[in-house]
Amino acid sequence: GENVEQHPSTLSVQEGDSAVIKCTYSDSASNYFPWYKQELGKRPQLIIDIRSNVGEKKDQRIAVTLNKTAKHFSLHITETQPEDSAVYFCAASTSYGKLTFGQGTILTVHP
Amino acid sequence: DAGVIQSPRHEVTEMGQEVTLRCKPISGHDYLFWYRQTMMRGLELLIYFNNNVPIDDSGMPEDRFSAKMPNASFSTLKIQPSEPRDSAVYFCASRLTSGGSEQFFGPGTRLTVL
């Protein structure tokens, strides 16, 4: 089955800096890669996703890149703000299959 | 739509007791997932259903866990008997196949087994 590795497990940045979280996956059939943000005590919520027919997608301060050859994808957050502090999860799946989640990254943005 | 609904939001029980968690998916969604989240093991998929049929229950930890989906708008996850190591947050999620693969999570049930 699919295996998703996520790094780093914790990330600490100063407000205004950029943050990058990286994931690798094992199943070459995976073609859908979402990123979820989970604030303390809350449910995971989708912040951005990418499908295998594109290499990059942006939404304001958030971007995701995908390298299918290398089987890795990354989340980029620019101009970080304290409210970006949360746990971020990457995931991978085939179109209609189950999501396999990474282990999560605890992002802390210091004012 | 109110989103995915779970009940109860918090459950405290004693070891050996039966626990039933409930989920109502978003109307029209045909996939339903049950997850367990702990600090040690992260977010684990326990079981998922498609059109009320269990597709993959390989994540169910042991026979003490069972899940049902009697109709498209209701699912239960039962633990009998419960043990302290079952303490976790249990999330239900649903997804609409034809609308893409975004998966919506419920608010979760925080289970504490004493």
Side-chain angles (χ1 to χ4, degrees), chain A residues 37-79:
Chain A
K37 175 183 180 182
Q38 186 178 25
E39 297 177 350
L40 188 63
K42 302 286 184 64
R43 75 192 80 184
Q45 291 192 295
L46 181 73
I47 55 171
I48 194 168
D49 57 12
I50 190 168
R51 290 173 174 79
S52 59
N53 57 345
V54 297
E56 183 176 2
K57 183 177 179 180
K58 288 184 179 180
D59 182 4
Q60 298 183 343
R61 297 186 296 107
I62 296 173
V64 58
T65 59
L66 171 64
N67 183 327
K68 285 217 73 178
T69 303
K71 293 185 195 169
H72 67 71
F73 56 113
S74 301
L75 177 71
H76 304 252
I77 306 174
T78 58
E79 300 173 23

Side-chain angles (χ1 to χ4, degrees), chain B residues 10-78:
Chain B
H10 302 274
E11 177 81 31
V12 180
T13 191
E14 294 189 345
M15 183 174 62
Q17 296 298 306
E18 178 179 296
V19 175
T20 299
L21 311 182
R22 297 172 175 81
C23 176
K24 175 179 168 56
I26 293 173
S27 177
H29 282 194
D30 52 0
Y31 277 85
L32 184 140
F33 304 82
W34 281 100
Y35 292 88
R36 178 173 67 177
Q37 187 174 39
T38 61
M39 289 293 294
M40 293 297 295
R41 301 176 67 91
L43 199 56
E44 302 174 272
L45 177 65
L46 300 177
I47 185 172
Y48 76 98
F49 297 83
N50 177 221
N51 292 322
N52 314 336
V53 176
I55 303 301
D56 184 351
D57 66 354
S58 60
M60 295 286 263
E62 49 198 274
D63 291 346
R64 298 185 297 107
F65 286 68
S66 62
K68 294 182 180 179
M69 192 166 186
N71 57 62
S73 59
F74 184 65
S75 178
T76 60
L77 178 67
K78 186 176 293 186

Side-chain angles (χ1 to χ4, degrees), chain A residues 32 36 38 41-46 49 51 89 93-99 101-103 106, chain B residues 4 31 33 35 37 43 45 48 56 58 91 95 97-98 100-107 110:
Chain A
Y32 175 66
Y36 283 81
Q38 186 178 25
K42 302 286 184 64
R43 75 192 80 184
Q45 291 192 295
L46 181 73
D49 57 12
R51 290 173 174 79
F89 293 94
S93 82
T94 56
S95 295
Y96 303 118
K98 62 183 180 182
L99 287 176
F101 284 87
Q103 297 86 346
I106 301 172
Chain B
V4 177
Y31 277 85
F33 304 82
Y35 292 88
Q37 187 174 39
L43 199 56
L45 177 65
Y48 76 98
D56 184 351
S58 60
F91 287 103
R95 191 183 78 211
T97 305
S98 61
S101 297
E102 181 175 355
Q103 195 167 288
F104 295 84
F105 283 81
R110 181 172 296 278

Side-chain angles (χ1 to χ4, degrees), chain A residues 6-8 11 19-23 35 73-76 88 105:
Chain A
Q6 182 172 346
H7 299 279
L11 180 59
V20 180
I21 303 170
K22 299 182 179 182
C23 290
W35 287 87
F73 56 113
S74 301
L75 177 71
H76 304 252
Y88 291 80
T105 297

